[in-house]
Amino acid sequence: MGPEQHHKGAGSLCNRGVAAGGPQAGKRPKAKWRSAALEGSDQQGRGHRIELGIAIGFLVPPVLVPNIEDRDKLAYHISIMFYIIGGVATLLFILVIIVFKEKPKHPPSRAQSLSYALASPDASYFSSIVRLFKNLNFVLLVITYGLNAGAFYALSTLLNRMVILHYPGEEVNAGRIGLTIVIAGMLGAVISGIWLDRSKTYKETTLVVYIMTVVGMVVYTLTLNLGHLWVVFITAGTMGFFMTGYLPLGFEFAVELTYPESEGISSGLLNVSAQVFGIIFTISQGQIIDNYGTMPGNIFLCVFLTLGAALTAFIRADLRRQKANKETPENKLQEEEEEEEESNTSKAPTTVSENL
């Protein structure tokens, strides 16, 4: 293995580490700015930002890196793409340092205020992780989220290969199919976010979206080899509506199950699970596709998605953050006023009888 391969391996390792740690790094500061009334909308907003980056990743590389046989030219185009990515990342890093503030002057919600009060300066990440893994509901969510996100990562990585096997020369359309998956997922995140704001039914929404992800994956698997590219666009978009839309939904459910633990740690564990399952699924499905074809490879993902949906049904909806938000001073004052009115009402007949 030459020095170039070592450099590529080191760069890939660093990239995966950032991929696992990046989302939760923004999770904790963002939680400090979010009001209780906008929890579901915040979930959809975060989903949009993540999925928009994934959509660009589907659309831009096929344009910047054409499918050519000349290795030198191919390496040149890849290096140009990497330089662009590095420049954009550096610009964003500078903007975060200059513009971003850690937290607002006043907590945006009752739950966040209690979280500040309960936070101990002596608390360690290790003790928090131990407590999280004692939470059976969260452990189940870590597994089910990893299965869903891992399947999405594997599907995204191998999408180009699967499409080209059935539709040779359609590299650009393969990127557009990936874009369709992500845009449909953004729409799914919008709808689920609005629904969560109104209903607060985290467990039920997560389960329904997971089941529909399985259905969408099965339909996509059965229609990929029909020979009609427009059918693949429709079925892939339908699958993405639920599969990609599930990803931000899982983060919000995790926060509900683990409050008042750090949101950064809980979301970090979800991301680690997603990365681990993503690596396993990508390697395994790639081998299955090489040896047996695309349908067995997609069936492989369908089996694990079905397992994830079944495990989701066993998660108990212990919405701790919602309980904390309901315990506001306004609610307590209203309860005291109602108790006072009831006591006055009960005393009224006694007063009348004494006067008689």
Side-chain angles (χ1 to χ4, degrees):
M1 183 179 291
E4 291 185 359
Q5 283 74 18
H6 284 292
H7 294 159
K8 291 177 182 177
S12 178
L13 180 62
C14 292
N15 183 48
R16 300 316 295 171
V18 172
Q24 68 268 19
K27 188 79 169 64
R28 185 174 180 179
K30 173 188 56 56
K32 297 177 181 179
W33 292 85
R34 177 184 56 204
S35 67
L38 298 177
E39 285 160 357
S41 299
D42 167 76
Q43 166 256 330
Q44 69 180 347
R46 180 174 66 257
H48 288 173
R49 294 186 290 273
I50 295 175
E51 291 163 14
L52 180 59
I54 298 174
I56 295 173
F58 274 122
L59 189 62
V60 174
V63 177
L64 295 179
V65 184
N67 187 12
I68 53 180
E69 298 294 334
D70 191 327
R71 286 194 156 193
D72 293 334
K73 292 183 178 180
L74 185 63
Y76 169 76
H77 287 291
I78 293 175
S79 66
I80 293 297
M81 181 181 69
F82 285 164
Y83 282 131
I84 293 174
I85 294 173
V88 173
T90 303
L91 176 61
L92 294 176
F93 174 72
I94 294 173
L95 290 175
V96 168
I97 294 177
I98 296 175
V99 177
F100 190 75
K101 296 181 180 179
E102 183 181 3
K103 62 181 180 181
K105 292 183 179 179
H106 306 287
S109 67
R110 173 69 173 172
Q112 194 62 43
S113 178
L114 290 174
S115 180
Y116 291 165
L118 294 173
S120 172
D122 299 328
S124 65
Y125 283 102
F126 178 76
S127 60
S128 180
I129 291 174
V130 170
R131 289 193 298 270
L132 287 175
F133 276 106
K134 290 181 180 179
N135 185 337
L136 179 60
N137 295 313
F138 177 69
V139 172
L140 288 174
L141 182 61
V142 168
I143 296 173
T144 56
Y145 182 90
L147 292 172
N148 191 303
F152 171 69
Y153 294 158
L155 186 70
S156 302
T157 304
L158 301 171
L159 180 64
N160 189 276
R161 188 194 305 184
M162 288 188 287
V163 171
I164 292 176
L165 283 174
H166 295 286
Y167 307 92
E170 296 290 350
E171 292 85 0
V172 175
N173 274 326
R176 291 170 180 168
I177 292 173
L179 179 65
T180 302
I181 292 174
V182 175
I183 291 178
M186 292 171 67
L187 178 60
V190 170
I191 295 176
S192 63
I194 295 174
W195 174 252
L196 287 181
D197 280 339
R198 296 183 177 181
S199 67
K200 306 299 182 183
T201 53
Y202 287 84
K203 190 266 181 73
E204 293 81 359
T205 304
T206 302
L207 181 58
V208 170
V209 171
Y210 216 126
I211 292 174
M212 294 307 299
T213 298
V214 177
V215 174
M217 185 67 196
V218 171
V219 174
Y220 168 79
T221 301
L222 297 177
T223 57
L224 179 61
N225 59 354
L226 293 182
H228 301 289
L229 199 59
W230 64 271
V231 175
V232 180
F233 271 94
I234 295 175
T235 56
T238 303
M239 174 188 63
F241 179 87
F242 297 104
M243 177 179 281
T244 316
Y246 168 87
L247 302 182
L249 183 62
F251 281 110
E252 288 303 311
F253 196 18
V255 174
E256 292 292 337
L257 295 175
T258 59
Y259 179 86
E261 298 293 344
S262 169
E263 297 184 18
I265 297 177
S266 62
S267 60
L269 292 174
L270 291 184
N271 272 293
V272 170
S273 175
Q275 297 296 327
V276 171
F277 279 108
I279 292 171
I280 296 172
F281 287 170
T282 301
I283 295 174
S284 301
Q285 188 186 18
Q287 292 295 320
I288 295 173
I289 291 175
D290 290 339
N291 296 322
Y292 303 103
T294 57
M295 181 169 288
N298 287 328
I299 291 175
F300 167 80
L301 294 183
C302 289
V303 171
F304 283 98
L305 286 173
T306 303
L307 174 62
L311 292 176
T312 301
F314 290 97
I315 300 176
R316 187 167 60 90
D318 183 17
L319 306 182
R320 301 178 181 181
R321 185 178 60 179
Q322 294 302 317
K323 294 176 183 177
N325 282 328
K326 289 179 180 178
E327 296 175 357
T328 60
E330 292 80 3
N331 289 342
K332 290 183 178 180
L333 179 62
Q334 183 177 359
E335 291 176 359
E336 292 175 358
E337 291 177 352
E338 291 176 355
E339 291 177 358
E340 186 177 354
E341 290 178 0
E342 290 177 359
S343 62
N344 292 336
T345 304
S346 61
K347 291 179 180 178
T350 306
T351 306
V352 174
S353 60
E354 290 177 353
N355 293 334
L356 293 176

